[in-house]
Amino acid sequence: MGKIVCLMGKSSSGKDTIYKRLLSQKSVPLETIVPYTTRPIRAGEQDGVEYHFTDEAGFQSLLAQGSVVESREYNTCYGLWRYFTVADKEIDLTAHSYVLIGTLEAYEQLCDFYGRDKVLPLMIELDDGVRLQRALDREKAQDHPKYEEMCRRYLADKEDFSDEKLARSNIEITFYNDQLDGCINEITAYLEENL
């Protein structure tokens, strides 16, 4: 039986890079679950690759169908943005293990839907100053930088990933991403033992 690996961490902690590297690992075969979002597409992103991009009406339609497994909403500087996972034919735990990027809230909802024994948490940590510089560099590269939203996300991370919330979610193992290759090696070894 497969599991869903839920990759979590504060903004700009390296989740996207780790996600891509994990998918290329041969020793731990993982499939993707492409999440959905109502936020605008960023430069370099492709619909159906990083996310399925939709709008509020699309989210409400999937919700009414009972297809939404987990969802999060953020009142951003640019309006309401939703991120969510849909139970569709892409997810078959009898045949595969999967990896997705989520939050503590998403992790808990995935556990509620699939069962805690089917969801494996991977918490990524990194120094706040390094994260802030990475976020700034990424935003500068956008055609239309959204610095206010970048700052809002950075500040929201303190509450979203508080020690209390981590303890409530029973997440005890974290991976520090100051050296990417070393972090990937630690995660791979952990997955080899736990999938």
Side-chain angles (χ1 to χ4, degrees):
M1 295 294 284
K3 293 185 179 181
I4 296 175
V5 176
C6 187
L7 184 60
M8 299 170 283
K10 295 177 179 176
S11 58
S12 300
S13 59
K15 298 182 300 292
D16 291 330
T17 302
I18 291 170
Y19 173 83
K20 290 173 185 171
R21 291 279 297 270
L22 287 177
L23 287 173
S24 70
Q25 296 289 320
K26 302 293 184 214
S27 63
V28 183
L30 295 168
E31 300 289 325
T32 61
I33 296 175
V34 180
Y36 288 66
T37 186
T38 61
R39 78 153 165 77
I41 192 167
R42 291 180 182 150
E45 290 180 329
Q46 297 177 20
D47 186 33
V49 178
E50 291 83 7
Y51 292 96
H52 294 290
F53 292 92
T54 187
D55 56 14
E56 183 64 19
F59 169 75
Q60 293 298 333
S61 175
L62 289 165
L63 188 63
Q65 295 170 26
S67 299
V68 176
V69 174
E70 62 82 22
S71 67
R72 295 144 278 140
E73 64 181 51
Y74 302 95
N75 290 308
T76 74
C77 300
Y78 300 93
L80 180 69
W81 290 355
R82 296 185 190 274
Y83 294 82
F84 54 102
T85 304
V86 173
D88 55 22
K89 62 184 178 188
E90 289 182 14
I91 303 173
D92 180 4
L93 293 177
T94 63
H96 304 285
S97 287
Y98 299 85
V99 61
L100 61 71
I101 297 173
T103 62
L104 285 172
E105 183 180 5
Y107 168 69
E108 288 297 333
Q109 292 177 52
L110 287 164
C111 288
D112 290 344
F113 190 88
Y114 291 105
R116 196 165 292 275
D117 62 321
K118 298 288 184 221
V119 186
L120 187 63
L122 285 184
M123 181 61 67
I124 308 302
E125 292 188 348
L126 185 63
D127 174 77
D128 286 343
V130 174
R131 289 191 314 102
L132 184 57
Q133 187 61 57
R134 285 182 180 180
L136 183 59
D137 292 342
R138 179 175 70 187
E139 210 54 46
K140 278 183 180 179
Q142 298 298 310
D143 291 337
H144 303 286
K146 294 178 170 63
Y147 296 116
E148 289 178 15
E149 177 56 19
M150 179 201 78
C151 292
R152 185 207 62 80
R153 288 180 60 201
Y154 182 83
L155 294 172
D157 282 337
K158 184 170 180 70
E159 181 180 338
D160 292 345
F161 292 95
S162 68
D163 290 340
E164 296 81 18
K165 288 185 178 181
L166 287 169
R168 202 166 43 238
S169 295
N170 296 317
I171 296 175
E172 299 171 355
I173 299 172
T174 61
F175 299 89
Y176 197 76
N177 186 24
D178 60 339
Q179 298 291 327
L180 180 61
D181 288 336
C183 184
I184 293 291
N185 290 339
E186 287 179 22
I187 290 171
T188 301
Y190 177 73
L191 293 177
E192 287 171 349
E193 289 180 16
N194 291 280
L195 286 181

